[in-house]
Amino acid sequence: MTEMSRNSTQEGGQPGRIGIGLELDATHLKILEVLRENGRISVAALAERVGISRANAYTRFEALRADGAIKRFTAEIDHVRAGLGITALIFVTVRQQMWRQFRTQLAQMPEVEYCAITTGQHDAMIQVRVTDVAAVHAMVTDRLANIPAVKATETVFILDEVLRRPYVLPSDRGPGRSSRRPPADPPAGPARSTGAARSAGSAGPTGSAGSAGGEVPLGMMRFVGVAEGRAQLQQDV
Amino acid sequence: MTEMSRNSTQEGGQPGRIGIGLELDATHLKILEVLRENGRISVAALAERVGISRANAYTRFEALRADGAIKRFTAEIDHVRAGLGITALIFVTVRQQMWRQFRTQLAQMPEVEYCAITTGQHDAMIQVRVTDVAAVHAMVTDRLANIPAVKATETVFILDEVLRRPYVLPSDRGPGRSSRRPPADPPAGPARSTGAARSAGSAGPTGSAGSAGGEVPLGMMRFVGVAEGRAQLQQDV
DNA sequence: GTTGAAATTAGTACGAA
DNA sequence: TTCGTACTAATTTCAAC
């Protein structure tokens, strides 16, 4: 019950129902806004805060839940208080066509809180929470290294979590501000060579940046070079 | 109310109360285990599932909340259904001594779901959810690039979220398995040159790995080289 | 820390607009 | 669909043990 939807077959929900099952209107979004900050609010209070009747609130609440728009309700805890003061990110390069094994192994690692498949230099990023720094080392060397699917890892520690929102919503942008950029105001800066893949082996976000004070000439999206054998990997994902 | 504790002053909670306020016992952890999968469970039902009396459950529940061990209750949603189908990670290099500005600007970006300060090549990682790929581009070029504190960015897309647990707990390891590695079984592989920082400019998690089939000799922790000016940055964090 | 009873609130099922 | 109301069931609170 911890794995996420893959948009394909498999997994929790009814396999028959693919595609959007429920068009979310402004009221639905309002409900999600309230639930985001108070997941334990009663449906009666929710109805009042959203400005609809109780019956309507029950109907919509149930619909959101049944449709899968709301996946579950949970708590947010202070990891330090819970005894897991160390958080690390481990970027993993996965051997091609061993994704299934990698996923299976991951599910059996209780210290893993999050894992995402990414584009770029690495194939996956996993976030772990453990008691101490040594546990990170043990995790990487003993457990990850023993998975044949894992080709290489790169570890980084999290020093501080500046911001964490339970989730973001389209309505957060406000009624006035569109999510798409207004037609005017084309992006400044040199050469829109957006897709310029970095040659594998060269590194870092340094490089071409002009060191002119306030300007940020390399704010451009910089896709990291595709790792070796990544073309095949993509098919597997 | 969306920013997280900094362990220092500032922020929501009482500034006077530093340090652990409540020692969590096995029962507390059990409560957190139940709440993790069902944040809307009634305290009565919670008591039954944990195996304690109602009153006890209420006391502990309230204590966990008041102590801050439980920060809030929230829902987990399907971002695709909510209309935010694109998730990206943006790794940011921050100009030294401009952290405060960076943090302030971040709080005003509704598409940012998570931001963490990290060690390694970059200084921060932010996760954004938007409607389409173009919005990522707009976010990076228009909004992040306009923050003087932002020196450089590197963007990566999330193709799939394999695993997401609301939180992990020390008790997840099970009663039998310790979090620390057993004294026997030293890590295999060549040369425990753990701290070997990669020279800035060289790249990739590839490299020294012996290509022998099953063995993963470079499971070792590989800390990425410190970015330029990072020594000063650390003080600021 | 536990149990039991009262007061409150939540959830459900209807008919009407 | 949405609303309003009444009915039933459950939860929370408070008390004594």
Side-chain angles (χ1 to χ4, degrees):
Chain A
M1 218 207 279
T2 53
E3 302 193 25
M4 300 185 69
S5 68
R6 214 154 297 153
N7 241 358
S8 46
T9 45
Q10 255 178 330
E11 213 59 48
Q14 304 94 311
R17 215 236 286 99
I18 306 285
I20 48 149
L22 173 71
E23 201 61 36
L24 302 187
D25 59 19
T27 307
H28 286 123
L29 290 178
K30 246 189 204 166
I31 291 173
L32 292 179
E33 278 174 40
V34 174
L35 255 25
R36 166 169 55 181
E37 50 185 42
N38 185 6
R40 274 182 82 85
I41 194 173
S42 70
V43 183
L46 175 67
E48 193 179 23
R49 288 191 54 176
V50 174
I52 55 177
S53 70
R54 291 206 310 161
N56 193 359
Y58 274 106
T59 305
R60 288 169 173 273
F61 182 83
E62 198 47 53
L64 284 169
R65 236 172 157 353
D67 183 67
I70 296 175
K71 288 198 283 199
R72 62 176 156 190
F73 291 93
T74 187
E76 225 174 82
I77 67 164
D78 186 323
H79 307 94
V80 178
R81 290 252 164 80
L84 299 174
I86 303 294
T87 306
L89 299 175
I90 307 172
F91 297 90
V92 181
T93 307
V94 180
R95 232 176 273 278
Q96 61 237 53
Q97 289 176 336
M98 287 185 127
W99 278 100
R100 194 147 319 209
Q101 187 205 45
F102 177 67
R103 288 183 139 119
T104 307
Q105 295 289 323
L106 256 190
Q108 297 178 10
M109 298 185 186
E111 50 274 271
V112 175
E113 189 168 292
Y114 181 67
C115 174
I117 311 294
T118 66
T119 63
Q121 193 179 352
H122 308 99
D123 299 317
M125 182 192 81
I126 75 181
Q127 183 177 35
V128 298
R129 303 219 187 244
V130 289
T131 55
D132 47 44
V133 177
V136 178
H137 186 230
M139 163 94 190
V140 174
T141 57
D142 294 352
R143 319 201 42 204
L144 277 176
N146 283 333
I147 304 177
V150 172
K151 198 200 237 167
T153 65
E154 193 157 324
T155 303
V156 147
F157 282 94
I158 287 185
L159 303 174
D160 189 14
E161 296 179 275
V162 180
L163 188 74
R164 165 159 250 159
R165 299 194 175 104
Y167 48 83
V168 300
L169 291 171
S171 51
D172 291 336
R173 241 125 291 183
R177 212 198 277 159
S178 167
S179 78
R180 288 170 191 263
R181 185 177 19 161
D185 178 38
R192 292 194 59 187
S193 58
T194 309
R198 190 176 61 190
S199 65
S202 79
T206 50
S208 56
S211 41
E215 295 215 3
V216 184
L218 54 65
M220 316 246 62
M221 293 200 7
R222 175 198 291 277
F223 296 98
V224 200
V226 174
E228 37 166 344
R230 190 58 196 281
Q232 292 102 307
L233 284 176
Q234 297 281 19
Q235 299 170 357
D236 204 328
V237 173
Chain B
M1 221 207 277
T2 54
E3 302 194 24
M4 300 187 67
S5 68
R6 215 155 297 156
N7 244 357
S8 44
T9 45
Q10 257 180 330
E11 212 61 46
Q14 304 95 313
R17 216 236 286 98
I18 305 287
I20 48 151
L22 173 71
E23 200 61 36
L24 302 187
D25 59 18
T27 307
H28 286 122
L29 290 178
K30 246 189 205 166
I31 291 174
L32 292 179
E33 278 173 41
V34 175
L35 254 26
R36 166 169 55 182
E37 49 185 44
N38 185 4
R40 274 182 81 84
I41 193 173
S42 70
V43 183
L46 175 67
E48 194 180 22
R49 286 192 55 179
V50 173
I52 56 177
S53 67
R54 263 94 38 94
N56 193 0
Y58 275 104
T59 305
R60 288 169 173 274
F61 182 82
E62 199 47 52
L64 285 168
R65 236 170 157 353
D67 184 66
I70 295 175
K71 288 198 283 200
R72 64 177 152 188
F73 291 93
T74 186
E76 223 174 84
I77 67 164
D78 186 323
H79 306 94
V80 179
R81 290 252 165 81
L84 299 174
I86 302 294
T87 306
L89 300 176
I90 307 172
F91 297 91
V92 181
T93 306
V94 179
R95 235 176 273 277
Q96 62 237 52
Q97 290 176 335
M98 287 186 127
W99 279 101
R100 194 147 317 211
Q101 187 205 45
F102 177 66
R103 289 182 139 118
T104 308
Q105 295 290 322
L106 256 189
Q108 297 177 11
M109 299 185 185
E111 51 273 272
V112 174
E113 189 168 293
Y114 180 66
C115 173
I117 312 293
T118 66
T119 63
Q121 194 178 351
H122 308 97
D123 299 316
M125 182 191 81
I126 75 181
Q127 184 177 32
V128 298
R129 302 217 188 247
V130 289
T131 54
D132 47 44
V133 177
V136 178
H137 185 231
M139 162 95 189
V140 174
T141 58
D142 294 351
R143 321 205 38 208
L144 277 176
N146 283 333
I147 304 177
V150 172
K151 198 199 237 167
T153 64
E154 191 159 326
T155 303
V156 147
F157 282 94
I158 288 185
L159 303 174
D160 188 14
E161 297 179 275
V162 179
L163 188 74
R164 163 158 251 161
R165 299 192 175 105
Y167 47 85
V168 301
L169 291 171
S171 51
D172 290 337
R173 241 124 290 183
R177 211 199 279 159
S178 167
S179 78
R180 291 173 188 261
R181 181 179 25 162
D185 179 39
R192 291 194 61 187
S193 57
T194 308
R198 190 177 62 190
S199 65
S202 79
T206 49
S208 54
S211 41
E215 294 215 2
V216 184
L218 55 64
M220 316 248 60
M221 293 201 9
R222 175 199 289 277
F223 297 98
V224 199
V226 174
E228 37 166 344
R230 190 57 194 281
Q232 291 101 307
L233 283 176
Q234 298 280 20
Q235 299 170 357
D236 204 327
V237 172

